[in-house]
Amino acid sequence: MWLIFGIDYLKEHFTHNQRYIIVAILSMFLPFYMCATVLIFLTIRLLLKGEIQDAYRKTAKSQYILYFCGLSFVVSLFYQNYYGFVCSIGILVILSFVLYYRIHIDSRLFEYITNCIIVLSIFAALYGLIEYIGILNSYNIDQFEIMIFNRPQDRINSVFFNANYYAMMIEFFVCLTFYKILKIKDIKLEWKKFIYYVAVIGLNLFVLLLTACRTAWPALAGGILIMLIVDKHHKTCACILALVIVACIYFLLNPSKFPRVDNIVAYFMTRAGIWEVAIQNIITHPLFGEGPMTYMHIYPLYHGHPTEHAHSIYLDPLLCFGIVGLLTIAPYIYSNIQRLYRLWKLKVDKTLVALIVSFTVMIFIHGILDYTIFFVQTGFLYLLIASSFDVHKHALKAYESLRK
């Protein structure tokens, strides 16, 4: 543990710029308001040192981040959506720090921060178990029992504010740990490391059960399967797919065993009502939306269900930013997709490509029924991993030079 987090170790193995990234990674395991404060502080400090400006200059299409956030600021203020204005600042801070991350990430730092995330996921899970014991005690249950509760306050969230946000973080933790297993060259020689990773996955899957988040399971299954397909582990993929099919058959034959089955109809009806409100507002504001957190801003006008967002990754971005807003950020996103594709063609690190693709698949599966990616810790971790193709920036630069 001291080897991972010791100050002397960090000074010896990483540059001053890279240590900023490590601090940001560690802050993800603090409550979201503390994580946001750390990220704002780091970004302002780097801005004053000229590091953020340098990252914008060196990163292709990064100017579109400024256009996108600037438009979001203006639209939010125009509609007096002050929560949206604050969120626009947060989006700019996170995306700017991600650019800085892209400039300074290398293979050693990536290995280190992924190891840190895996270790810290254990502490988050232990904290979640303590939280769960407190929930049991509140019902005067003295013995440890596995019980799935419906009430949000009776579902564990560890340090991630909400059970569904924690569930998405667990998806990322499990996928990241599975990626580490795929990177093991010889399990017989590195069997201790293999057992450690399997134990971490097992612990995180157990606390995922205690979050009572149903959407996380198909998202995680989809992410793992896609990772195996992209990394060409077809036999392992077939075995896991078989387990998924068996689990699906079991729940079809035993629907009462499905988590929170008693409120599943009410759950979908609530979601449908939220989506109806979102669609109505998209129709009336198709071009620019009304800024981040639009749903929370407009639901009283439609007598909709009170919540923060539209609970859909397919609706909420359009609701908040509109067609013009999404087109504004599209060139930056397309540039990232191109770099990921080039890395895949180079065959330098197909397992890393598989990891990035699996993270993206998970947020789009989970995003069918929820919008948990739009949060400080979930969004930040996803963007870091999704931008990690720049671990191989030198190989990508050489490839691009040959094409010119």
Side-chain angles (χ1 to χ4, degrees):
M1 185 65 65
W2 181 249
L3 183 64
I4 292 179
F5 300 115
I7 300 298
D8 292 337
Y9 178 86
L10 296 179
K11 287 182 178 179
E12 182 181 348
H13 290 86
F14 302 105
T15 67
H16 182 70
N17 290 323
Q18 290 177 326
R19 291 198 291 271
Y20 279 102
I21 295 169
I22 294 168
V23 171
I25 295 294
L26 298 180
S27 76
M28 283 194 301
F29 291 85
L30 298 173
F32 78 95
Y33 49 87
M34 296 176 70
C35 175
T37 302
V38 171
L39 290 178
I40 291 168
F41 172 79
L42 291 176
T43 304
I44 291 173
R45 185 171 174 83
L46 292 169
L47 191 67
L48 294 174
K49 295 174 67 178
E51 297 285 352
I52 296 295
Q53 297 91 318
D54 187 53
Y56 273 95
R57 283 192 295 269
K58 291 179 178 178
T59 308
K61 309 296 183 182
S62 59
Q63 69 271 25
Y64 290 96
I65 291 174
L66 299 177
Y67 303 155
F68 172 75
C69 292
L71 181 61
S72 184
F73 293 149
V74 172
V75 170
S76 298
L77 288 176
F78 180 81
Y79 287 105
Q80 298 181 341
N81 177 8
Y82 301 118
Y83 283 114
F85 179 76
V86 172
C87 285
S88 298
I89 296 173
I91 292 169
L92 179 59
V93 166
I94 288 175
L95 288 174
S96 296
F97 194 89
V98 168
L99 293 182
Y100 175 80
Y101 168 86
R102 288 181 60 179
I103 297 299
H104 296 286
I105 190 66
D106 59 25
S107 56
R108 174 187 281 182
L109 179 60
F110 185 74
E111 281 299 304
Y112 178 81
I113 62 176
T114 50
N115 286 336
C116 285
I117 290 168
I118 290 169
V119 170
L120 290 170
S121 78
I122 298 171
F123 287 94
L126 294 176
Y127 185 86
L129 288 173
I130 294 169
E131 184 184 6
Y132 180 69
I133 291 169
I135 293 167
L136 291 178
N137 290 339
S138 70
Y139 284 92
N140 296 316
I141 301 172
D142 297 326
Q143 293 183 336
F144 190 90
E145 297 180 32
I146 299 176
M147 300 182 68
I148 307 300
F149 298 99
N150 276 323
R151 296 196 313 163
Q153 59 267 40
D154 293 333
R155 297 164 56 198
I156 66 169
N157 57 64
S158 189
V159 297
F160 301 105
F161 181 68
N162 176 287
N164 293 331
Y165 295 136
Y166 183 32
M168 177 161 273
M169 291 298 284
I170 292 171
E171 292 170 40
F172 293 156
F173 298 154
V174 170
C175 227
L176 201 54
T177 310
F178 196 79
Y179 157 82
K180 290 286 193 176
I181 290 175
L182 295 181
K183 295 290 279 186
I184 295 175
K185 294 179 180 179
D186 191 333
I187 291 177
K188 290 181 180 179
L189 293 177
E190 299 182 79
W191 61 271
K192 290 181 180 178
K193 188 182 288 186
F194 175 76
I195 291 172
Y196 163 66
Y197 290 143
V198 170
V200 171
I201 289 173
L203 176 61
N204 275 291
L205 289 179
F206 180 69
V207 290
L208 178 59
L209 178 67
L210 300 182
T211 67
C213 180
R214 294 166 293 208
T215 318
W217 293 97
L220 180 58
I224 294 294
L225 290 172
I226 288 295
M227 185 189 294
L228 290 168
I229 290 169
V230 174
D231 204 33
K232 298 183 178 179
H233 290 271
H234 300 302
K235 290 182 180 178
T236 307
C237 180
C239 291
I240 292 179
L241 179 59
L243 290 175
V244 171
I245 292 171
V246 168
C248 290
I249 293 171
Y250 172 79
F251 285 120
L252 284 172
L253 297 176
N254 302 276
S256 62
K257 300 294 184 181
F258 194 77
R260 297 161 56 214
V261 70
D262 53 327
N263 77 335
I264 198 164
V265 175
Y267 172 86
F268 277 109
M269 293 302 293
T270 301
R271 287 290 191 271
I274 293 169
W275 297 335
E276 184 180 347
V277 169
I279 291 168
Q280 288 181 47
N281 207 71
I282 289 169
I283 292 170
T284 57
H285 300 76
L287 295 179
F288 299 99
E290 296 187 34
M293 309 292 283
T294 289
Y295 184 88
M296 191 170 73
H297 183 63
I298 57 95
Y299 77 80
L301 300 175
Y302 297 91
H303 307 289
H305 179 77
T307 188
E308 295 84 9
H309 49 69
H311 286 269
S312 170
I313 199 172
Y314 302 96
L315 290 177
D316 204 88
L318 193 57
L319 173 68
C320 295
F321 305 111
I323 296 169
V324 174
L326 295 178
L327 288 176
T328 304
I329 194 67
Y332 175 73
I333 296 172
Y334 181 68
S335 173
N336 287 359
I337 293 170
Q338 282 184 312
R339 286 179 74 78
L340 182 63
Y341 177 69
R342 287 166 188 161
L343 183 62
W344 178 73
K345 286 196 73 175
L346 280 170
K347 299 180 180 178
V348 174
D349 192 346
K350 59 183 173 60
T351 312
L352 177 59
V353 174
L355 176 68
I356 295 170
V357 173
S358 70
F359 265 50
T360 305
V361 167
M362 284 193 299
I363 68 168
F364 278 99
I365 295 176
H366 198 135
I368 295 171
L369 295 172
D370 211 343
Y371 194 41
T372 44
I373 193 59
F374 192 73
F375 192 61
V376 178
Q377 290 125 313
T378 54
F380 184 51
L381 179 54
Y382 169 73
L383 288 170
L384 289 179
I385 298 300
S387 302
S388 293
F389 43 74
D390 274 328
V391 166
H392 301 289
K393 60 175 72 67
H394 299 300
L396 286 167
K397 187 176 180 179
Y399 176 81
E400 289 162 3
S401 298
L402 287 173
R403 292 193 63 187
K404 288 180 180 178

